[in-house]
Amino acid sequence: MTASPRTQLARISAWPTERVVVVLIGLLWLLLVFPLPRSLGGSGMLVAVLLLTLDLVLGILTRGLAFAPIWRLDERLTVIRDQAYRSAFRIMRTAIVVMLVLGVVDSALKSFSGQSGPDGVSLRFLLAFIEMLVVLPTAVVAWEQTATRPSVEHGPLPPTAWIILLLAPVLLVAWTALAPSLPVRYVVTRPTGSSFDLTGARCTQFLVVKEVGAGLAGAVGFHAEVCWNGEKAFVVGDPSLPLPSGVLPQQDLMPPGGLSEPELTACAPGVRETDFGTVSQTCTQLIDAGGTLTLIAHGRVSPYPGGIAARPLDIRLVVARDGTLVAVE
Amino acid sequence: MTNRLALARLTNRIIEALLGLTLLVVVAVILMSFVGLVPAGLAYLLFVFVTVFTVRSVPVEPGAWLGLRIVRRALVALIAVITVDLLFINGFDIPTLIALVLCDFALGRATRRVAGAPDEILDERQAIWRNRAYRFAYLIFAVAAGGVLLASDFVSSDTRQWLANSLQRGGAFISLIQLLAFLPSMVIAWTEPDRISGADLPRLRNGLAAQLAGLLVALCLVIPIVLSLSIVFAPMRISRITHPETIPGTTASSCMYFGAREEVGVGFGASVPLNAVACWNGTTAYESWGLNASDCLIYAGDFATVSTLECRRSTQPDGTLRFTYRVRVQSMFLPFVTRDVALNLALTKNGKVLQFP
C-alpha cells in the first residue's frame, strides 16, 4: 500500500528544518555536478557562499556534532557520530561514482559541441567535491537527528549561535573588494594529436587563458588554430579574424574570410571558465611585414554576473611565420 | 516484519539471479575468447572479477603473520606508497597494479574484511571500532583527496595539467578507487592490536568455497605469467595476401596489393599488420600507399606494449623497393619478456617479390 501524493506532500512539509536544509544542499550540489547548464554564468561564487550559509545552518542545528572534539561528547554521541561518518563514507563512494560518470558526460558534451577550455578538474567540480567532503557527515547527523535526537538533549539553541551566519555577507563584501586585485595566471597549451591540416600550410592549435585568482574571479582567453606557410602566420576558423589573401593555394574555394569552425578558433575563454566570472571580450589579429602573427584578446572580467567589480584584461599571442611561439603576454 | 522478511528474501533472490547471470556471461566471454571473438584481455579481466567476488564470499582468518600489528602496518605503508606512486607514474603500470591487488588481498585477510561486513555478523564491540575506523578514514580521505585537488587547481596551471594527465592515464583514478574501497580497512589494519581476529571467534573451516577461491587466485596469478611467456615461446603466426591492384591514372605501371599480419603471443601479445600497394614500371619499383612513417604506428596489443624500432623505405640503385617495419613487443606483466617482429617488403623494378613479409 502506498501513500497518496497528498499524504506524501504532507509528510514532506512536516519535515524538520534540518532535512529541508539537507535537501537544499543536495540540490545545489547537483546543480554543480550536473553538466547542464553548461555554465553558471558567473554566479559560482554566489552558489559557494549560499552553500557555506546552508552548511553553517546545518552545523548550528546539529551543534557541530560532526566536528566536535572527542572530550565534548559522551559515549552515546560518539557512537552516533561514528555511525554518521560510516554512512557518510558510503554515500561519498556513490557520490564520487556519480561525479565521475557526469564528468565523462561533461567531457563528451564538451568535445561534441566543440567547446574548449583548460584541462583538469573544473572549479565547479572542485567546489562540489569539497562541499561534499565538508558537509556529508553533518548532513547525515542532521538527517538522522529526528530519530537519534542528539542535539535536542542539549536544550534550545542560544540566539548568539546564529551570529556566525554573518560570515556569509562579510565574505561576499570581502570578495567583491578583493577579486579585482587578485593576481592573474596564464594557462597556455598546445594540444597534441590535432589532426587539422591545410594544403600549403601547417597548423597547430593554441589555447590561451588568463585567469584571475586561479579562475575564481573570471578569465579571458581564446583557442585559435594558427597556421603558417613559411611566409606568414595566420588564424583559421573564425571569419571575424579574416584569412589574409594569397596564403593558401586553394583559398578561392573557401568562403570569404575563411572557414567558420568554432572548434578550431573561438574568441572565448572556455565554457568552464565562465562559472565563476563573466567576460565580454573581442579578438583581433595583426600580421606584420615579417609575417609574424599577433593575436590580441581584449576583455572585461567580472567575478559576478552583470559586470560588477569588473577589470580590464588583455592577452597577446605572438607566433612567427615558421610556427615558433614568440610570446604570450 | 513479515513484509520486511519477504522483501529481504526477494532481494536475495534477485541478487542471486543477477550473480548467476553474470557468471554465465563471464563463462560465455571466456569461451568466445578461445575462438578469437572477444579479446583475451577482456576475458582475463572478467576472470579477475569473478575471482574477486569468489574470494570476497569466503570467510577468512588473518593467519599468524597478518595477525601481527607490525606486519599489518608495514602492509598499510606499502599500500599507501603504491597509491601515491600510481598518482605520479607516467602511463599505466601493470606490475604496480598487480602488487596493489595482492596487497589489498592480504589486507582483506588481515582485517577479515570487517570494514565491509554486514551489521548482522558483527558484535557490538566490532561494530563500534569498525565505525570509528570509518570516521578516521573519512577524515584522511578528505584531507588527502581534497588536498590534492585543491593544490593541483590553485598552485599553478602546470599542477592542474599534471592532475589532468594523471586522470587521463588512469593512475589518479586507481588511487581514488583504492582509497574509496580500502581506506577503512587500512585504518582498521593500522589501529587494531595484535591478533585482531581474536580467540573469541570460531576457527573457520577450509571448505570447498575456500579451496575454489584459492585456486582462482592462483590461476589469476599464473595465467598472465604463462600467457606473457607465450610472447617469446609460442610460434609466430603469419598471414599474407597479395593480389594485382589497379590504380586509377597509372597506365604505364603494374601494381600489387600486399597485405600481411604477424601475431605473437597467445592471448597476451600483439598483432602487427602491413597493408600497402606498390607499383613497378620496368625502371623502378615505388610505393603507392601504405609504406610511410604513419603506417608504422598501426598495431594492436593485448596486455603488451608495442614500440616501433625501425620504419625505413628505400629504393636501391637497381630500382628495387625495400621497406622494413620492425617493432618490439613487450609484456606489460613481465617487462623483461620482449620479442622483435619484422615485416619486410622487397620488390624489384620488374615486379618480382624478393621478400614478403
Side-chain angles (χ1 to χ4, degrees):
Chain A
M1 197 170 88
T2 53
S4 68
R6 184 173 288 186
T7 317
Q8 284 179 347
L9 200 64
R11 265 186 212 159
I12 291 170
S13 61
W15 271 3
T17 317
E18 293 92 326
R19 287 197 175 185
V20 175
V21 176
V22 171
V23 169
L24 285 176
I25 291 174
L27 290 174
L28 283 173
W29 184 82
L30 277 176
L31 171 73
L32 291 175
V33 297
F34 212 69
L36 298 172
R38 300 294 295 140
S39 166
L40 295 178
S43 56
M45 190 50 70
L46 297 175
V47 175
V49 172
L50 186 55
L51 276 170
L52 173 72
T53 310
L54 291 170
D55 293 352
L56 289 174
V57 169
L58 218 50
I60 293 166
L61 291 173
T62 57
R63 316 290 173 98
L65 177 61
F67 299 105
I70 195 82
W71 49 264
R72 256 187 55 195
L73 306 177
D74 60 24
E75 200 176 336
R76 180 171 164 273
L77 287 179
T78 308
V79 168
I80 288 172
R81 181 168 74 167
D82 288 352
Q83 276 174 345
Y85 267 96
R86 180 167 169 252
S87 302
F89 199 98
R90 296 166 80 168
I91 294 167
M92 180 178 70
R93 278 178 185 155
T94 312
I96 287 178
V97 171
V98 169
M99 288 182 82
L100 291 177
V101 171
L102 291 175
V104 172
V105 174
D106 184 58
S107 294
L109 281 174
K110 193 172 152 185
S111 357
F112 187 69
S113 55
Q115 289 162 339
S116 69
D119 289 336
V121 179
S122 69
L123 286 173
R124 186 167 155 178
F125 250 61
L126 181 66
L127 174 62
F129 192 77
I130 299 297
E131 166 65 15
M132 177 186 70
L133 292 178
V134 170
V135 85
L136 253 182
T138 305
V140 173
V141 170
W143 190 269
E144 298 289 339
Q145 192 143 278
T146 45
T148 54
R149 323 226 19 109
S151 301
V152 180
E153 291 163 8
H154 285 75
L157 276 168
T160 50
W162 299 97
I163 287 175
I164 197 167
L165 289 182
L166 289 174
L167 193 62
V170 169
L171 272 177
L172 267 184
V173 171
W175 181 248
T176 311
L178 276 176
S181 55
L182 285 172
V184 294
R185 77 173 182 197
Y186 287 96
V187 182
V188 184
T189 57
R190 238 174 133 156
T192 52
S194 174
S195 59
F196 183 77
D197 213 352
L198 283 172
T199 309
R202 294 185 64 197
C203 303
T204 190
Q205 195 172 61
F206 287 94
L207 171 77
V208 186
V209 178
K210 201 173 191 176
E211 295 177 329
V212 183
L216 281 170
V220 62
F222 54 77
H223 69 271
E225 190 75 32
V226 177
C227 301
W228 60 94
N229 60 3
E231 293 178 359
K232 278 181 185 171
F234 48 93
V235 176
V236 170
D238 185 352
S240 70
L241 303 167
L243 209 56
S245 57
V247 289
L248 295 172
Q250 295 170 327
Q251 199 169 332
D252 50 337
L253 298 176
M254 288 185 180
L259 301 167
S260 176
E261 301 283 352
E263 66 270 25
L264 295 179
T265 300
C267 184
V271 66
R272 282 285 172 258
E273 295 286 337
T274 55
D275 283 330
F276 281 78
T278 51
V279 61
S280 59
Q281 68 172 65
T282 53
C283 292
T284 49
Q285 70 168 343
L286 300 169
I287 301 170
D288 66 16
T292 301
L293 165 77
T294 304
L295 183 59
I296 303 165
H298 176 71
R300 286 186 66 78
V301 177
S302 162
Y304 297 114
I308 303 164
R311 68 187 271 189
L313 275 184
D314 290 335
I315 300 180
R316 286 174 70 244
L317 170 75
V318 185
V319 181
R321 64 185 181 184
D322 60 355
T324 310
L325 176 62
V326 178
V328 178
E329 53 196 30
Chain B
M1 192 60 140
T2 319
N3 282 345
R4 273 193 184 179
L5 276 174
L7 188 66
R9 275 192 203 124
L10 181 67
T11 311
N12 282 340
R13 277 185 191 168
I14 291 170
I15 289 170
E16 280 169 10
L18 285 174
L19 279 176
L21 194 66
T22 309
L23 209 62
L24 277 177
V25 170
V26 170
V27 171
V29 169
I30 290 171
L31 287 176
M32 282 194 282
S33 75
F34 285 130
V35 290
L37 289 175
V38 170
L42 178 65
Y44 176 69
L45 282 178
L46 280 169
F47 183 69
V48 171
F49 279 118
V50 171
T51 306
V52 169
F53 277 113
T54 312
V55 168
R56 286 190 67 83
S57 68
V58 179
V60 289
E61 286 240 22
W65 272 93
L66 289 172
L68 295 174
R69 178 192 255 191
I70 190 166
V71 176
R72 287 199 314 270
R73 286 192 167 182
L75 182 65
V76 171
L78 183 61
I79 292 173
V81 168
I82 294 174
T83 307
V84 173
D85 181 50
L86 277 169
L87 191 63
F88 288 97
I89 56 164
N90 293 319
F92 198 68
D93 188 347
I94 292 281
T96 310
L97 195 60
I98 292 172
L100 184 63
V101 171
L102 290 175
C103 286
D104 287 339
F105 180 70
L107 184 71
R109 286 191 78 87
T111 58
R112 299 197 63 177
R113 294 196 289 273
V114 165
D119 289 338
E120 303 83 64
I121 68 164
L122 299 180
D123 61 30
E124 198 178 345
R125 182 184 61 86
Q126 286 173 319
I128 285 173
W129 61 252
R130 190 262 308 266
N131 291 350
R132 194 181 62 212
Y134 266 94
R135 181 160 64 86
F136 286 129
Y138 191 97
L139 297 173
I140 293 167
F141 181 86
V143 171
V148 166
L149 274 181
L150 280 173
S152 71
D153 249 38
F154 291 121
V155 169
S156 72
S157 55
D158 290 339
T159 53
R160 186 159 147 179
Q161 190 62 45
W162 160 78
L163 185 67
N165 292 344
S166 188
L167 284 167
Q168 271 176 355
R169 290 180 187 129
F173 271 118
I174 296 169
S175 294
L176 182 69
I177 289 164
Q178 169 67 25
L179 291 180
L180 284 174
F182 294 101
L183 197 52
S185 295
M186 288 165 74
V187 173
I188 289 170
W190 186 271
T191 53
E192 286 313 303
D194 286 346
R195 302 291 297 172
I196 62 164
S197 60
D200 53 327
L201 293 164
R203 185 151 187 85
L204 300 166
R205 287 188 299 130
N206 190 18
L208 185 66
Q211 286 174 1
L212 178 67
L215 178 69
L216 289 179
V217 170
L219 282 174
C220 263
L221 293 173
V222 170
I223 285 172
I225 293 171
V226 171
L227 295 185
S228 294
L229 289 174
S230 76
I231 290 175
V232 174
F233 296 111
M236 197 178 292
R237 298 182 299 287
I238 302 170
S239 59
R240 51 171 279 178
I241 182 171
T242 56
H243 57 74
E245 187 81 6
T246 310
I247 306 291
T250 54
T251 49
S253 301
S254 302
C255 298
M256 178 88 80
Y257 167 79
F258 296 91
R261 180 177 296 274
E262 292 190 354
E263 291 176 78
V264 290
V266 179
F268 291 11
S271 164
V272 188
L274 173 66
N275 294 292
V277 169
C279 307
W280 62 92
N281 56 14
T283 311
T284 186
Y286 58 93
E287 176 250 10
S288 173
W289 56 263
L291 301 176
N292 298 297
S294 57
D295 300 305
C296 295
L297 300 170
I298 302 167
Y299 38 68
D302 254 341
F303 289 98
T305 55
V306 185
S307 48
T308 306
L309 298 175
E310 188 181 359
C311 182
R312 191 155 46 89
R313 189 184 76 204
S314 61
T315 308
Q316 313 289 357
D318 63 354
T320 301
L321 172 72
R322 288 190 181 273
F323 178 72
T324 305
Y325 172 23
R326 204 157 58 85
V327 300
R328 176 159 295 164
V329 181
Q330 181 180 34
S331 163
M332 288 170 94
F333 282 90
L334 305 173
F336 53 87
V337 173
T338 60
R339 185 167 186 178
D340 291 357
V341 179
L343 288 157
N344 298 289
L345 173 64
L347 181 70
T348 67
K349 62 185 179 184
N350 299 317
K352 186 179 175 190
V353 179
L354 300 176
Q355 188 182 12
F356 181 66

